[in-house]
Amino acid sequence: MLRFVLLMLCATAAHAHAERAAAGGFVTGILHPLLGVDHLLAMVAVGIWGATLGAPLIWALPVAFPLLMVVGGVLGIAAVALPHVEVGIAMSVLLLGLAILADWRAPIVIALALVALFGILHGHAHGTELPASASPAAYSAGFVLTTGLLHLCGIALGMLHSTRAGPMVLRTCGGVIALAGASILLGLA
Amino acid sequence: MNPAAASLDGARYLLGSALSLLVLAVTVLALCDISLRRGLLRLAPMAACAAVVALVPPSTVQAHFAAAYLTAVGLALAAGLTPGKYSANLLAACGGLALGVTAGLQTATAAETAGTLAAAILPCILGLAVIRAVTHAVRHSAARLGRRIASAWIAAIGILLLALDLVDKRP
């Protein structure tokens, strides 16, 4: 099936169904992070946290997240089971929210390791859904576009850190994200 | 089909192909750090190499070339590397080959190929000009940050496509 889909990506203009499927996959990919509140909050939180931590984490976190997410995605596609993925995703929202709330100046290695772990968990969840989507490339492109924009939104919010009221606004955002994470976690229990 | 309609078909196919657009995006991101004039000049080898693909028969290796291109260039840009004078030429040529493969030029007619190439070059020119304008308007560090993040995500898609194929090939 996957081989067929990949071949369709390289097909000619005659395949109208492939175009329609690709368009559907693209739209699904765009909407996926926006419709899942856990993914949406985690992506924005990664951007905010990276921005408050400053260089090099301001770019390293949003760069590391997708690359490790792909690893998780491949594990999901390969049907490699990871324990408690949904709980881990909820925990990622909670912990990122708490990190912003507490203005935690995490060491580079620990921040990268945490974001890498969260990326793998989010990726695993997507990976299990990806093979069923119409076009992996279109789905990925849509998902990437939205997630990249969410990261940038988070970074833009995090830039408020240097303003007078910024730290308080960001801590409030962190608190709201942490509460949402706790709520998602309780919903899973 | 008349040539104008065929050209339009080629252009439409390219604009509807996510993989082709990603190839264009990563190529523009790679070329936007050199001067605008040099960047625009690199579009010529890219178009030439894309046209060459139209003469080459399809093979399995070529299908993976675009994903490998996205991965390699995306990772390099995410790591903060920028192409030099000669590597920019090589990169544009590889981008052209990847574009030709993803846009299905092996099976396209001459008119469709012309339409595809026109539809590929115009957004590249626009993209290079817009990125240059944005870089001047906002802080240079902010522009570099955006480029790194975008490149990382494009690399991630490339890795994902390669991995999908590997997973599919498992016994």
Side-chain angles (χ1 to χ4, degrees):
Chain A
M1 176 61 190
L2 283 175
R3 187 178 303 163
F4 172 73
V5 172
L6 282 169
L7 283 171
M8 291 291 275
L9 286 172
C10 307
T12 61
H15 301 290
H17 292 294
E19 284 181 14
R20 193 175 302 166
F26 186 65
V27 173
T28 311
I30 281 180
L31 292 177
H32 200 263
L34 297 174
L35 297 177
V37 72
D38 48 354
H39 294 303
L40 186 147
L41 289 176
M43 305 302 160
V44 173
V46 165
I48 294 177
W49 198 35
T52 56
L53 290 174
L57 290 172
I58 188 172
W59 62 264
L61 294 190
V63 163
F65 191 91
L67 294 175
L68 271 298
M69 199 172 86
V70 163
V71 174
V74 174
L75 290 175
I77 292 163
V80 176
L82 290 181
H84 311 299
V85 172
E86 290 303 324
V87 173
I89 288 172
M91 284 293 289
S92 73
V93 179
L94 176 63
L95 291 179
L96 285 168
L98 287 176
I100 297 165
L101 176 66
D103 198 12
W104 182 32
R105 320 297 295 174
I108 292 174
V109 176
I110 292 179
L112 278 174
L114 271 178
V115 166
L117 175 67
F118 297 156
I120 288 173
L121 292 173
H122 282 263
H124 191 276
H126 297 309
T128 50
E129 297 165 23
L130 194 59
S133 71
S135 157
Y139 179 88
S140 307
F143 182 73
V144 161
L145 188 68
T146 310
T147 308
L149 288 174
L150 288 174
H151 277 166
L152 290 177
C153 286
I155 291 171
L157 270 174
M159 293 290 191
L160 290 175
H161 198 258
S162 55
T163 64
R164 196 173 166 189
M168 183 57 70
V169 173
L170 292 180
R171 281 175 179 242
T172 308
C173 287
V176 171
I177 292 171
L179 276 176
S183 156
I184 296 166
L185 201 56
L186 287 174
L188 291 172
Chain B
M1 191 183 287
N2 73 56
S7 299
L8 202 61
D9 250 8
R12 272 184 45 225
Y13 181 73
L14 177 96
L15 296 175
S17 161
L19 206 49
S20 301
L21 294 178
L22 284 174
V23 167
L24 290 180
V26 80
T27 307
V28 166
L29 286 173
L31 296 179
C32 70
D33 225 28
I34 56 179
S35 75
L36 184 60
R37 192 180 68 85
R38 277 195 199 167
L40 292 175
L41 284 175
R42 300 297 176 274
L43 298 181
M46 187 182 88
C49 287
V52 164
V53 174
L55 309 171
V56 179
S59 74
T60 312
V61 178
Q62 285 182 3
H64 309 312
F65 184 80
Y69 175 77
L70 291 179
T71 305
V73 180
L75 284 176
L77 293 177
L81 300 176
T82 49
K85 189 179 172 185
Y86 297 107
S87 52
N89 276 321
L90 181 66
L91 189 140
C94 291
L97 294 176
L99 178 69
V101 173
T102 55
L105 292 186
Q106 293 107 326
T107 51
T109 64
E112 284 171 344
T113 302
T116 300
L117 292 182
I121 296 298
L122 288 177
C124 284
I125 294 172
L126 194 67
L128 285 171
V130 167
I131 289 175
R132 188 145 292 267
V134 168
T135 307
H136 282 300
V138 302
R139 284 189 304 176
H140 190 65
S141 57
R144 287 183 68 86
L145 176 70
R147 192 172 73 150
R148 278 187 149 180
I149 293 174
S151 304
W153 282 96
I154 291 174
I157 291 178
I159 294 170
L160 191 65
L161 289 175
L162 289 172
L164 278 172
D165 195 50
L166 283 177
V167 168
D168 191 42
K169 279 198 166 69
R170 286 185 316 165

